[in-house]
Amino acid sequence: MTSLLSDKNLKQLKSMAHAAQKVPKGTFIFREGQAGENFFIVLSGKFEISKFTGDGKELCLRLCGENAVIGELMVFSNNGKYLFNGRALEDSEVLVIKNKAIEQELLVNAEFALEFLKMMTDHFRKQHTKFRDLVLYGKKGALYSTLIRISNSYGVKVNGGILLDAPITHQELANFSSTSRESVTRELNYLKSKGIISFKGRKIIIHSLDYLKLKINCEGCPASYCVID
């Protein structure tokens, strides 16, 4: 998914980069606990932003594609450390920008600063709603919420439903729900038996989005916040 910055300010942000970096599939561009010195813009490929829970499970928070910005939580954080992990899901390339360069631009460019602040606020709100769904509605609710978010990010209308046009595995869905792949498989099979979803190869078709929304007491927040990126 793309950045929330305008084309003008995205171009300005890219001009601050001091290097382009190839990131092979499966490689971490940053890990939680490392010094958060850099900010990244995805040029190509796809990244998973995640956090490890106390019991060793992985909780995935975002899927980031072309023009997505990652690492921005470290801006103006003295000796800040990354709170999350960023791992390439496929061979990718990023622009690397020093946080100091961002901070200097924020202090002198009011238009850029306003858009950047809005972008950060949107990311905070998206993360808040994901944690809310997991805490309030448990792992099943987190799975349902994930399916809804993927439909808003990658959904394509087809006869009888919405095709999730992203080859997401059961393990990746489990990571978004902080649960096991087996639990996700059982729940997806249950939804299939109820006619809520069906499968087209490795992809999922949602036939009743309203059913999923009802089960998590969907608050009808703007679709721009209910996304997977």
Side-chain angles (χ1 to χ4, degrees):
M1 301 301 290
T2 56
S3 164
L4 295 173
L5 296 173
S6 66
D7 290 343
K8 173 185 175 182
N9 284 319
L10 180 60
K11 184 177 180 180
Q12 176 67 15
L13 185 60
K14 288 181 176 181
S15 72
M16 303 177 205
H18 72 274
Q21 180 177 341
K22 301 283 188 181
V23 188
K25 179 180 179 180
T27 301
F28 285 88
I29 189 71
F30 56 85
R31 289 179 180 267
E32 54 183 304
Q34 288 182 338
E37 299 176 348
N38 296 319
F39 181 97
F40 307 91
I41 300 178
V42 180
L43 291 179
S44 64
K46 191 176 270 74
F47 284 84
E48 174 186 77
I49 308 302
S50 66
K51 188 172 183 66
F52 289 107
T53 62
D55 58 2
K57 289 189 175 66
E58 185 178 17
L59 175 61
C60 185
L61 298 169
R62 297 173 62 198
L63 288 180
C64 304
E66 183 180 355
N67 284 334
V69 290
I70 53 180
E72 70 277 0
L73 296 178
M74 293 301 99
V75 174
F76 289 115
S77 295
N78 292 329
N79 300 315
K81 299 183 184 299
Y82 290 115
L83 301 176
F84 307 111
N85 305 295
R87 179 170 61 90
L89 297 178
E90 56 192 44
D91 289 342
S92 306
E93 185 176 10
V94 298
L95 287 176
V96 185
I97 306 171
K98 291 291 185 184
N99 282 324
K100 289 294 184 183
I102 303 286
E103 293 167 4
Q104 291 171 4
E105 185 68 17
L106 291 172
L107 292 174
V108 300
N109 187 334
E111 179 186 349
F112 177 83
L114 179 60
E115 279 198 16
F116 194 89
L117 179 61
K118 287 181 178 179
M119 181 185 68
M120 290 184 67
T121 299
D122 280 344
H123 284 319
F124 290 143
R125 293 190 65 175
K126 289 174 186 176
Q127 289 177 12
H128 171 79
T129 59
K130 291 170 187 174
F131 284 125
R132 176 203 63 193
D133 291 342
L134 180 60
V135 171
L136 294 182
Y137 306 116
K139 295 177 179 180
K140 180 192 290 188
L143 173 61
Y144 288 9
S145 171
T146 297
L147 292 174
I148 294 170
R149 293 175 190 280
I150 296 173
S151 75
N152 287 332
S153 295
Y154 298 101
V156 177
K157 289 186 178 180
V158 296
N159 284 337
I162 301 172
L163 172 69
L164 306 187
D165 194 22
I168 296 177
T169 67
H170 289 193
Q171 183 59 60
E172 288 166 344
L173 286 173
N175 291 345
F176 275 105
S177 311
S178 190
T179 188
S180 68
R181 179 181 59 81
E182 292 77 12
S183 295
V184 165
T185 298
R186 283 196 301 270
E187 189 60 35
L188 291 177
N189 286 335
Y190 170 77
L191 292 174
K192 180 182 177 182
S193 72
K194 298 278 288 184
I196 307 301
I197 68 169
S198 63
F199 296 97
K200 183 178 181 180
R202 292 179 57 197
K203 297 180 180 179
I204 297 172
I205 298 176
I206 299 177
H207 299 290
S208 178
L209 199 61
D210 288 340
Y211 175 91
L212 301 178
K213 290 181 176 181
L214 180 65
K215 289 298 182 180
I216 62 167
N217 297 317
C218 178
E219 299 175 358
C221 55
S224 60
Y225 294 130
C226 191
V227 288
I228 207 67
D229 69 334

